[in-house]
Amino acid sequence: MRPLTTSLATSTLALDRVTKRFPTGTVALTDVSMSVAPGDFVSVVGPSGCGKSTLLRLASGLDDATSGTVDVTAAATSYVFQDATLLEWRSALRNVELVGELRGVPRDERRARAQDVLELVGLTGFEKQHPRELSGGMRMRVSLARALVAEPDLALFDEPFGALDEITRLQMQTELQKLFRLKRFAGLFITHSVSEAVYLSTRVLVMSGRPGRIVAEIPIPWDYPRPPELRYAAEFAAITGRVSAALGEHS
Amino acid sequence: MTSHTDTRPVDVGALPAEPSSTPAARRSPVLAGLRRALPIVGALVGIAVVWYGVSYLVLPARQRFLLPPPHEVYGGAFSNPQLMGPMLEALGRSFAVALVGLLIAVVFGIGYAVVMSQWSWAERVLYPYAVILQTIPILALVPLIGIWLGYAFPARVAVCVIIALFPMIANTLFGLQSASAAAHDLFTLNKATRWQRLTKLQFPAAVPSIFTGLRNAAGLSVIGAIVGDYFFQQGAPGIGGLLRVYTQRLQMEALLTSVTLTALFGVVVFTVFAVLDRAVVGRWFGRTTR
Ligand SMILES: Nc1ncnc2c1ncn2[C@@H]1O[C@H](COP(=O)(O)OP(=O)(O)OP(=O)(O)O)[C@@H](O)[C@H]1O
Ligand SMILES: [Mg+2]
């Protein structure tokens, strides 16, 4: 693809004037250009049905753009689904191992790696449990572990915490932030929650209602780790206010 | 027998929901067992009451031979080895027919569903045959089966296979297609092969439905065996064959006893598969299938 700026040339993911029209005639995205560089954690907020999931599916290669280019330079991409999407007949450990199994990683190696990531997400001792025996938050941790076990350069998240209760949700945000700093993947994160987007991200993109366009890009200034109390700071409220205003103008 | 012509899972006789969520049941498994047995015991008592009523109150003494009271039927028959010997042997033969028929239906049914699950054109081409097989009344096929396969064991098995096949196919297919779109995406993103998708996603996801199918197919297979040896009488008789003989000779005690035996046979087979279903699916999936 033709690099627009130098930052795009080094990006992990770059979309250039992407449009997506489904065979049904629905136009989900129009003229979307955006990029995610290493070290970026980009959140996308937008009204329901504006094409956020579609954007992620294009980025992951699950679906193709109608026009424009999607350029992924990441060697490994992983995807976290809205509900944990675990295989209910497999234990937590075997769910994480699945990725290695599908890619032909030898058993001992993939098991050791799955074990390590489960420890990282705080699930040591729960390896043998089946999804039904885990809480919603724990299932999402397994799902995060499964995404991280492939050592992705780019991690895509489609409203992963949308189904969790408020308390668990805040815990998972802290957890994800820790993982982001530790594993150094670039993140593209879809959410409905403005405060979640602001708390987690280096940048927040605001999309308009369908057909989705990117109507605002708001950089988030704070370094990581960000303390949970940041959510109550005046400067935090100021930025969430700006995001909400951009959302309100275009939905 | 019910007749289903759609892809929804077929369940001709789901057990009532387990009342294990009630506090009493959770406290004591014995109590829970009793609670579950109570309706069945009640039903048996009900049958006995009606039976006695018909024998003594409805039928005049002259016609009481049409429905002798239970104690006369069972008291005479169960203590008579000349009657019970051949009856149990016949039951054993019917069991063999049902088992072989079920096995063929299971293997073929799962295979057929797997093929249909892999290509959408295969489903479009193959599903109508399954529906046709299901919708032709078995009695209409009996003459053909006899002419083509003879009147002995193979023909009896064929009847079992034909009536047990559809629930196997329909339930397995439903199960193979039950994995979520997101789970399929997960496999796609990890570049899973068709074989990996089948063995690591579709098939495990289908296990609960396959057990539902198995339970129904087993029940139907018993019916098939009895229907089969009712019509195909060559060789040693099955219990269905005896039913016919007793009917012709109007041996009411023997007839009612063998009817009871076939009922018990059906109940036992159904229970075995229901327990198996609950054990396997309950352990792997943590839920009881409907
Ligand atoms: N496969 C498809 N075929 C046809 N239309 C589709 C398809 N997938 C999505 N759409 C349509 O495209 C639009 C955008 O869908 P998308 O799922 O991307 O929205 P979203 O922003 O993720 O919504 P939500 O916030 O509710 O998850 C919707 O109108 C949807 O109905
Ligand atoms: Mg969505």
Side-chain angles (χ1 to χ4, degrees), chain B residues 234-275:
Chain B
Q234 235 166 53
I239 193 78
L242 290 189
L243 282 175
R244 186 172 192 159
V245 173
Y246 298 143
T247 311
Q248 281 158 356
R249 298 186 194 148
L250 219 63
Q251 289 177 297
M252 288 313 287
E253 280 86 358
L255 182 58
L256 287 167
T257 306
S258 48
V259 167
T260 309
L261 280 182
T262 56
L264 280 177
F265 179 32
V267 168
V268 166
V269 168
F270 189 83
T271 308
V272 165
F273 280 97
V275 168

Side-chain angles (χ1 to χ4, degrees), chain A residues 180-202:
Chain A
F180 170 62
R181 292 181 54 233
L182 196 71
K183 288 295 185 179
R184 311 198 161 279
F185 49 83
L188 180 57
F189 189 95
I190 309 290
T191 177
H192 270 132
S193 158
V194 171
S195 80
E196 181 168 273
V198 171
Y199 179 68
L200 286 174
S201 314
T202 56

Side-chain angles (χ1 to χ4, degrees), chain A residues 48-54 79 82 158-159 190 192:
Chain A
S48 185
C50 73
K52 305 183 294 297
S53 297
T54 305
Y79 198 111
Q82 166 148 16
D158 193 355
E159 294 186 46
I190 309 290
H192 270 132

Side-chain angles (χ1 to χ4, degrees), chain A residues 50-207:
Chain A
C50 73
K52 305 183 294 297
S53 297
T54 305
L55 180 72
L56 225 52
R57 290 178 67 83
L58 296 181
S60 68
L62 279 171
D63 215 336
D64 295 321
T66 311
S67 68
T69 54
V70 176
D71 204 40
V72 182
T73 54
T77 304
S78 44
Y79 198 111
V80 180
F81 300 90
Q82 166 148 16
D83 52 354
T85 313
L86 301 176
L87 306 184
E88 54 185 324
W89 52 90
R90 285 178 170 240
S91 67
L93 183 69
R94 300 250 305 127
N95 261 289
V96 179
E97 264 189 71
L98 176 74
V99 173
E101 259 177 74
L102 295 177
R103 296 174 179 198
V105 178
R107 190 195 149 108
D108 289 346
E109 188 188 332
R110 68 172 191 244
R111 184 149 293 182
R113 279 171 59 181
Q115 204 66 267
D116 289 346
V117 222
L118 278 176
E119 187 183 337
L120 204 63
V121 298
L123 283 181
T124 308
F126 292 94
E127 298 91 343
K128 296 263 172 305
Q129 310 277 326
H130 281 238
R132 68 188 146 91
E133 299 161 325
L134 301 172
S135 68
M138 286 161 119
R139 281 200 292 274
M140 190 39 77
R141 284 167 198 262
V142 177
S143 193
L144 289 179
R146 184 181 60 196
L148 295 180
V149 77
E151 300 284 343
D153 311 307
L154 174 65
L156 306 170
F157 302 86
D158 193 355
E159 294 186 46
F161 308 150
L164 302 178
D165 61 89
E166 188 63 15
I167 294 169
T168 314
R169 191 175 180 135
L170 297 184
Q171 277 173 359
M172 293 305 296
Q173 290 172 11
T174 311
E175 198 79 18
L176 179 59
Q177 206 188 92
K178 189 188 91 188
L179 294 170
F180 170 62
R181 292 181 54 233
L182 196 71
K183 288 295 185 179
R184 311 198 161 279
F185 49 83
L188 180 57
F189 189 95
I190 309 290
T191 177
H192 270 132
S193 158
V194 171
S195 80
E196 181 168 273
V198 171
Y199 179 68
L200 286 174
S201 314
T202 56
R203 261 189 299 148
V204 175
L205 303 180
V206 177
M207 283 178 77

